[in-house]
Amino acid sequence: MAGVAVGGERVPTRPASKVREPVKLGTILAIWVSLTLALHAMVWITGFEPKSLADAVDQGAARAEISRVGEVSDDVIRKAIRLQRDTLPFWQTISRLGDFGVEPAILLLRTISVATLFAAIAALTGRPIGFMAGLRASAIVQGVWVLGLAVKVGLTIVLRRPDVETSLALLLPSGRYPAVLVLLLRQADPFVFYGWLALAWGGWRRHQVNLATALIIVLSMALGETMTRVGCGLIAGAGMRLSIMPR
């Protein structure tokens, strides 16, 4: 044990406490990306995602059959149904790319975009730029989206239902609704709302932007992400449900 000489005697002293270093930015993002990949993998391994895709393609096959009954021969209809079901591997590949490629990339893109916009506005208005502090704080907040995904996956496995929702889509009574309405309501999730609000609050607390500007920035980004997700969902859903029509 180290000591200090006092009056010719060496008085023992306690070692200085070590200063805790903050978790590195790369580590934070690596944790969120790894958890996102693991959660999506659980849905695939347990069979919920493959079943959902197969059901969607089967709906397209049934629709193809009904739409041409009495118009063409049975052989043509059977061929169309077979071709429809043969598209399943393609849609599984697209879905895997979304789950294991696009979703982790969105976490990184959201982190960098928010931090960059806040720092840019701060530089233009003479406020503290704080890019690295904002980047790290933005990376930490991405855990809210990961938590939302974890809750949904956990409920899916526990309840054994692939249609589990934590969004406003829960308020829809049983029935058929336009796809765009369902997709929009699925984006209205409390975890997503809290995540965007936390990003805006953080930019204001760091004095990079005022609160109104922070809210406008995150609202614009949230709307852009929502429209992109809804658009891609409409295209993929339409394709899976009716890829091939008999002629």
Side-chain angles (χ1 to χ4, degrees), residues 34-236:
S34 299
L35 287 174
T36 300
L37 294 173
L39 289 168
H40 282 298
M42 288 176 63
V43 179
W44 282 92
I45 292 172
T46 52
F48 290 103
E49 188 66 19
K51 185 179 185 302
S52 296
L53 293 174
D55 289 345
V57 172
D58 284 342
Q59 288 177 24
R63 184 176 173 184
E65 180 181 8
I66 294 172
S67 65
R68 288 296 189 269
V69 170
E71 297 182 10
V72 295
S73 67
D74 292 343
D75 289 340
V76 173
I77 293 176
R78 282 193 292 270
K79 181 179 179 181
I81 293 173
R82 185 170 62 253
L83 289 174
Q84 173 74 25
R85 288 172 175 162
D86 286 344
T87 64
L88 180 57
F90 169 77
W91 293 113
Q92 287 178 335
T93 301
I94 295 296
S95 185
R96 289 191 185 101
L97 287 174
D99 289 346
F100 300 108
V102 176
E103 289 298 334
I106 287 176
L107 290 176
L108 304 179
L109 182 61
R110 193 188 296 122
T111 298
I112 296 172
S113 299
V114 171
T116 301
L117 285 173
F118 281 166
I121 298 297
L124 291 173
T125 56
R127 292 171 175 265
I129 297 176
F131 175 72
M132 289 307 300
L135 190 64
R136 185 175 182 277
S138 180
I140 293 173
V141 174
Q142 301 310 305
V144 176
W145 276 268
V146 180
L147 176 60
L149 176 62
V151 170
K152 188 173 181 179
V153 171
L155 290 174
T156 297
I157 295 175
V158 171
L159 301 177
R160 303 200 63 79
R161 291 183 55 182
D163 58 345
V164 169
E165 287 291 342
T166 58
S167 65
L168 289 183
L170 281 171
L171 302 180
L172 290 175
S174 300
R176 297 177 65 87
Y177 299 93
V180 64
L181 173 62
V182 176
L183 290 171
L184 281 172
L185 290 178
R186 284 178 178 173
Q187 304 307 309
D189 186 285
F191 293 98
V192 174
F193 176 79
Y194 179 77
W196 286 114
L197 186 61
L199 290 173
W201 184 261
W204 175 66
R205 289 293 301 271
R206 292 188 299 274
H207 306 291
Q208 292 177 297
V209 292
N210 60 46
L211 187 56
T213 303
L215 290 173
I216 291 173
I217 290 174
V218 298
L219 178 60
S220 300
M221 294 188 65
L223 286 175
E225 184 175 325
T226 296
M227 292 301 101
T228 301
R229 288 181 179 275
V230 170
C232 292
L234 288 173
I235 294 172

